[in-house]
Amino acid sequence: MRPLDVLRTALWSLGSNKLRSGLTLLGIIIGVTAVIALMTIGRGVQQGITSRIESQGANLLFVQPGSTSSGGVSGGQGSGSSLTLEDAFALVDPVFAPSIKAVSPQIATNAQIVAGRENTNAQVIGITPEYGLVRNAVIETGRLVSSGDILANSQVAVLSASVSEELFGLLSPVGQTVRISGRQFTVVGILEDNNVGFGQSNQVLIPITTAYYRLASQRTAQGGISVQSINVEATSQEDMSTAELEIATILRLRHRITGDDDFVISSQQGLIETLNETTTALVLFLGTVAGISLFVGGIGVMNIMLVSVTERTREIGIRKAIGAKRRDILFQFITEAVILTMSGGVIGLILGLSFGPILNGRAVLGPRPIETGFSLDIAIIALVVSGAIGLLSGIYPALRAARMHPIDALRYE
Amino acid sequence: MVATLAAAGEETPGVGRPESGPCGVLNMIEIDNVTKVYKMGDTELAALGGVTLTIADGEMVAVMGASGSGKSTLMNVLGCLDVPTSGRYILDGEDVGKLPDNRLANIRNTKIGFVFQTYNLLPRLTALGNVELALMYGDSRNRRQRAVDALERVGLGDRVKHRPTELSGGQQQRVGIARALVKNPGILLADEPTGNLDSRSGDEVMRILHELHAEGITVIIVTHETDIAEHANRTITMRDGLVVGDESHAVPSTSNGL
């Protein structure tokens, strides 16, 4: 039997019972739509997280103090105070650390910010001018902290957009005064909100020296100015591991370390991987739930095929009597099942994809807009899976049809 | 196997089993001590109890018998729809008794045309579609044209686009005949071809079968009506799974039959 005839016969059979075929199709469509929609949303979440993390600055390494432990109780990573401002400056070393492009130490504390009658809580971060470069901080208006501010311990502040909005509404805060922990600061700029999705978006940036002397004077045991973390930008993605090694070497020398490091170096990559693992697990879970509906759809196809084989016993007998081989009958029914599920797959794919643009950028399920990400592999997976479901659910009914004895089939009423 | 020669001619083969004859007509069908036993639980039912028969190429044979006589089982075995439990069946020189399913399907497709009492047309296909169906499982060159030709030959050239429900019983049976002959089979097996028809349609169907016979096709008709059997030039009578009578007789001319 020619492939075209097989196809035409299958379409004809499906078309001769449109309602039933349609309802069966619906089961597959819903399953595939659910899988596609959830996968694109999951993919979008993943891509969103990755891009937001990367927007914080490329090739970023974080150096934080190691954990302290007092009486056997670990204080957790970053709880120690082993890193100093001098450590940070020492990392800027073209000879011993050629893979390091820029270094930005920071001291952070939480404080109440007051402007007139308004007040809010924000993370106050003491920074150096390199912060802008390393963390990709974008200034909306005004300027960032300058070297002059650092040297003069100036009481200037850059507000994040959300802080500015809370304190000043739509007015421009540049030039205005805010009080941070009771001290007067002049606002010099507005920072675009960071959208990382974790950590605070309420941020106030001030010179690191000011932060140290006025807000959070914490010293190390050796008397250095303690910093909470040092952001290091490597010269390139490939140099990340070299940069990590250089940082470790310099800090070990400076801290005279022979045993365990008193600092921890982490990278965005690690962060992205961890988050990806989490979201992948989530996507898989959602995919499984959607997959179950697809599976149920497959059972529906099988059910209908079994009914159809029984109903068409006589037709099978006629076909066999005029010379159809087992293989011909087998292919005919499998083709019907596959056409059913594949077309369900295509329609589901289109529906699932159209959910993407509809949901994309809209806050449907929470305050944050949903992002969707689609790629060809999702489409291919959907089509292959729906085809495979057709094959699996069609094979048993088709075998039953093919094995019928022509005489019994012809006599069937 | 092919060596046995049958008594010549379409008109009068010798009484009984045709032995070798002068004209060198090959045997289309040779069955030798064929049995067919159905198992129903513990009991065995012999539908055919050792049938030996030879039908020459180009004969027109009627198989008669009451229901349960085994004539339908014989028909199924002859049509390669069923395989004998024991015995030999040589069809057109080929031993088909032990062939696998696929080969049997192939033989049904190329050598045998079936005409059923209940027509067995696919109700959702047009007359043309039903005839084309027979060509779908084998050589399908010029399918459309051959199907149209076959329909024209049974006088349904103007009914090709009609569905079975839009045709009379006689017309449906003629579609069935067209479906059987479109493959140019050597044998036409008709199982009570006129059983569901009024006498006028029945005569028309018989006239077509006569024409096909005249063109050299071996026609085997299973029937329990004597007047149908009289159309054939040989009548095989069956009872209890055995051949109890096999006689040749002069055929009334086609025009007489109408």
Side-chain angles (χ1 to χ4, degrees):
Chain A
M1 202 174 175
R2 295 185 306 189
L4 193 68
D5 287 332
V6 178
L7 203 66
R8 200 182 293 154
T9 306
L11 285 175
W12 165 77
S13 303
L14 291 173
S16 58
N17 213 327
K18 290 192 183 63
L19 180 64
R20 186 198 283 172
S21 303
L23 288 174
T24 316
L25 204 62
L26 200 60
I28 297 292
I29 292 174
I30 290 172
V32 174
T33 308
V35 169
I36 297 280
L38 287 174
M39 278 180 85
T40 45
I41 290 173
R43 189 72 64 92
V45 168
Q46 233 164 24
Q47 284 169 356
I49 288 174
T50 308
S51 72
R52 278 193 235 128
I53 289 173
E54 278 170 354
S55 75
Q56 288 209 305
N59 314 326
L60 207 50
L61 288 166
F62 304 102
V63 189
Q64 287 178 302
S67 58
T68 54
S69 70
S70 52
V73 179
S74 172
Q77 182 185 320
S79 60
S81 55
S82 54
L83 289 179
T84 65
L85 203 53
E86 289 76 24
D87 286 336
F89 294 145
L91 293 177
V92 187
D93 189 331
V95 180
F96 291 104
S99 305
I100 293 173
K101 188 174 165 193
V103 176
S104 158
Q106 65 180 51
I107 298 173
T109 182
N110 281 309
Q112 194 184 39
I113 322 292
V114 183
R117 293 168 167 275
E118 307 293 331
N119 76 89
T120 182
N121 272 301
Q123 189 185 27
V124 178
I125 309 173
I127 58 157
T128 59
E130 285 80 10
Y131 184 88
L133 177 73
V134 174
R135 297 298 294 261
N136 274 3
V138 180
I139 298 295
E140 269 180 20
T141 50
R143 63 174 178 86
L144 196 64
V145 171
S146 70
S147 334
D149 296 330
I150 304 284
L151 290 174
N153 301 344
S154 311
Q155 302 206 32
V156 293
V158 178
L159 307 184
S160 71
S162 55
V163 172
S164 164
E165 198 187 315
E166 276 187 56
L167 297 180
F168 297 98
L170 296 173
L171 299 174
S172 167
V174 177
Q176 304 286 325
T177 308
V178 293
R179 296 176 76 87
I180 304 174
S181 293
R183 291 176 188 279
Q184 296 252 346
F185 282 77
T186 307
V187 177
V188 293
I190 301 178
L191 183 72
E192 217 172 60
D193 270 341
N194 93 28
N195 281 323
V196 183
F198 47 90
Q200 281 171 286
S201 60
N202 263 12
Q203 285 185 334
V204 175
L205 304 181
I206 60 173
I208 192 165
T209 46
T210 316
Y212 175 72
Y213 289 115
R214 304 281 183 253
L215 296 177
S217 34
Q218 197 182 14
R219 283 182 178 273
T220 60
Q222 287 75 34
I225 295 174
S226 169
V227 295
Q228 271 155 350
S229 79
I230 304 172
N231 307 311
V232 178
E233 187 183 358
T235 44
S236 72
Q237 182 79 42
E238 293 74 43
D239 290 335
M240 294 280 279
S241 50
T242 327
E244 200 174 326
L245 212 72
E246 288 166 2
I247 295 167
T249 312
I250 291 170
L251 290 182
R252 275 176 202 145
L253 280 172
R254 287 182 54 83
H255 294 186
R256 297 191 180 84
I257 288 167
T258 50
D260 291 343
D261 286 344
D262 60 354
F263 57 88
V264 179
I265 304 171
S266 54
S267 67
Q268 288 174 312
Q269 212 50 47
L271 192 64
I272 291 172
E273 272 162 26
T274 313
L275 283 165
N276 270 355
E277 272 169 33
T278 319
T279 49
T280 303
L282 187 74
V283 169
L284 278 181
F285 172 70
L286 290 175
T288 309
V289 173
I292 289 172
S293 73
L294 195 52
F295 181 71
V296 172
I299 293 176
V301 172
M302 186 155 175
N303 199 4
I304 280 309
M305 291 312 293
L306 283 172
V307 171
S308 171
V309 165
T310 310
E311 266 188 5
R312 285 153 63 192
T313 301
R314 212 178 163 82
E315 177 193 328
I316 294 163
I318 295 171
R319 288 179 185 274
K320 285 201 154 192
I322 60 176
K325 297 183 177 63
R326 281 189 184 181
R327 189 190 50 252
D328 295 322
I329 303 291
L330 189 75
F331 281 162
Q332 184 190 330
F333 281 93
I334 287 181
T335 308
E336 275 179 38
V338 171
I339 285 179
L340 213 50
T341 55
M342 286 280 265
S343 48
V346 171
I347 298 172
L349 183 66
I350 293 166
L351 281 179
L353 289 188
S354 55
F355 269 119
I358 292 171
L359 291 178
N360 201 8
R362 288 193 196 186
V364 183
L365 297 170
R368 203 170 279 287
I370 291 175
E371 285 174 48
T372 54
F374 172 74
S375 54
L376 199 61
D377 57 339
I378 293 180
I380 293 170
I381 288 172
L383 290 183
V384 168
V385 166
S386 55
I389 283 176
L391 210 59
L392 285 176
S393 53
I395 204 151
Y396 173 65
L399 273 175
R400 261 174 65 150
R403 283 187 190 142
M404 278 181 188
H405 200 283
I407 297 169
D408 299 338
L410 272 174
R411 284 205 196 115
Y412 186 85
E413 290 297 333
Chain B
M1 310 145 62
V2 196
T4 324
L5 296 176
E10 294 160 6
E11 56 280 8
T12 37
V15 176
R17 186 180 166 197
E19 302 295 343
S20 53
C23 291
V25 174
L26 294 180
N27 283 338
M28 182 50 92
I29 286 169
E30 259 186 87
I31 57 177
D32 187 16
N33 201 22
V34 159
T35 64
K36 181 69 195 178
V37 179
Y38 290 109
K39 278 184 184 162
M40 289 176 169
D42 293 338
T43 54
E44 290 192 342
L45 185 76
L48 289 180
V51 175
T52 302
L53 202 63
T54 307
I55 295 172
D57 190 8
E59 270 193 280
M60 185 158 181
V61 181
V63 179
M64 288 201 70
S67 55
S69 61
K71 63 183 194 302
S72 289
T73 308
L74 180 65
M75 186 78 163
N76 291 337
V77 170
L78 292 182
C80 291
L81 285 168
D82 212 345
V83 287
T85 309
S86 70
R88 240 161 42 115
Y89 175 18
I90 291 161
L91 171 71
D92 201 13
E94 189 178 9
D95 190 343
V96 296
K98 298 278 180 288
L99 285 183
D101 203 73
N102 265 357
R103 294 279 298 116
L104 287 179
N106 214 19
I107 286 170
R108 288 198 296 269
N109 189 244
T110 53
K111 293 188 176 169
I112 300 167
F114 290 98
V115 177
F116 303 95
Q117 178 175 7
T118 52
Y119 328 130
N120 277 336
L121 302 177
L122 293 189
R124 288 180 184 275
L125 284 181
T126 59
L128 187 62
N130 269 292
V131 177
E132 275 193 69
L133 199 65
L135 295 175
M136 213 180 254
Y137 297 103
D139 170 27
S140 56
R141 277 170 296 173
N142 279 333
R143 195 163 79 197
R144 176 65 46 93
Q145 192 52 50
R146 283 160 69 191
V148 170
D149 289 348
L151 281 168
E152 277 170 357
R153 194 163 158 200
V154 296
L156 289 176
D158 56 341
R159 294 281 190 277
V160 290
K161 292 292 175 196
H162 288 61
R163 285 169 199 274
T165 46
E166 298 158 359
L167 298 172
S168 72
Q171 288 171 327
Q172 289 186 58
Q173 190 58 296
R174 275 143 70 192
V175 174
I177 294 171
R179 181 179 64 188
L181 69 86
V182 72
K183 298 174 289 188
N184 287 323
I187 308 172
L188 202 70
L189 286 173
D191 189 359
E192 305 273 9
T194 58
N196 284 12
L197 299 176
D198 60 76
S199 59
R200 244 193 66 215
S201 308
D203 287 345
E204 174 68 14
V205 164
M206 289 314 293
R207 191 184 58 79
I208 293 169
L209 291 182
H210 269 293
E211 278 177 19
L212 295 172
H213 170 231
E215 284 168 32
I217 296 176
T218 308
V219 178
I220 303 173
I221 303 165
V222 171
T223 184
H224 61 266
E225 293 171 62
T226 26
D227 54 331
I228 294 296
E230 275 164 12
H231 284 270
N233 48 22
R234 179 178 168 197
T235 304
I236 293 167
T237 314
M238 294 198 66
R239 190 187 302 148
D240 300 331
L242 294 168
V243 175
V244 294
D246 187 348
E247 56 191 45
S248 299
H249 41 79
V251 197
S253 76
T254 310
S255 51
N256 283 357
L258 285 177

